[in-house]
Amino acid sequence: MIVLYSYWLSSCSWRIRFALCLKGIPYEYKAVDLVKGEQFSPEFEKLNPLHCVPVLADDHVVVSDSYAIFLYLEEKYTQKPLLPVDPQIRALNLQGWQQYPYPQIPAAPLSDRGGFEPDPKRGRSESWRVNERGWVGSGSG
Ligand SMILES: N[C@@H](CCC(=O)N[C@@H](CS)C(=O)NCC(=O)O)C(=O)O
């Protein structure tokens, strides 16, 4: 059984959820609460020392990074291919998969409103907390 470690606010994880859904691959969803900092737990660190979702576990195979996971799924599970065979159109499609959803979707609206101030001392997780209170908290998410 495939397990996807994900978080509802993670646009990188949406990419994999779309791929799994379009290919019709059943999977178990395991939420990693990035706002609570669960990506830094010792258990999750064993899966991905970079402390990011998505992570896909397929029996003994563990893959992190949405782009790598997407290509893994496409090559291992050949049903309902998501990429065309023609190299030029395939390259254009890969370009699209990599750019959508744009990894900074949660940050963009706040940034547009001048309300997103990443604090290097606090790191990315605090930026997520700001997003949670701001963009999502205001009902825009
Ligand atoms: N290049 C990676 C980026 C993964 C990434 O940045 N994930 C974010 C959520 S979209 C994350 O887990 N952030 C954890 C944090 O900010 O502490 C991918 O495409 O999977």
Side-chain angles (χ1 to χ4, degrees):
M1 175 56 128
I2 288 181
V3 178
L4 178 67
Y5 295 83
S6 180
Y7 184 59
W8 71 277
L9 262 176
S10 163
S11 51
C12 309
S13 303
W14 296 346
R15 179 181 294 150
I16 303 309
R17 292 164 68 185
F18 291 152
L20 287 164
C21 180
L22 289 169
K23 289 176 91 61
I25 302 172
Y27 67 99
E28 182 186 345
Y29 180 99
K30 284 205 178 163
V32 179
D33 191 327
L34 300 182
V35 175
K36 285 187 184 157
E38 288 177 1
Q39 68 275 35
F40 299 107
S41 72
E43 299 78 36
F44 188 74
E45 196 174 43
K46 282 184 206 147
L47 289 169
N48 185 4
L50 295 177
H51 311 120
C52 286
V53 292
V55 172
L56 184 120
D58 186 9
D59 289 329
H60 63 284
V61 179
V62 177
V63 190
S64 58
D65 188 276
S66 60
Y67 199 61
I69 296 170
F70 173 75
L71 288 177
Y72 170 82
L73 290 172
E74 183 71 346
E75 283 160 21
K76 175 151 186 204
Y77 298 93
T78 50
Q79 74 270 29
K80 297 186 188 164
L82 299 174
L83 292 172
V85 176
D86 178 87
Q88 186 183 357
I89 306 174
R90 191 177 178 90
L92 285 173
N93 272 260
L94 279 171
Q95 200 177 317
W97 269 99
Q98 192 175 15
Q99 288 180 2
Y100 182 82
Y102 182 58
Q104 297 305 327
I105 280 174
L110 273 177
S111 169
D112 290 346
R113 291 187 221 154
F116 178 67
E117 288 296 332
D119 182 343
K121 284 186 202 147
R122 289 192 252 175
R124 295 183 62 209
S125 290
E126 181 58 20
S127 303
W128 274 89
R129 273 182 221 111
V130 171
N131 282 338
E132 179 86 355
R133 287 194 300 266
W135 184 50
V136 176
S138 72
S140 312

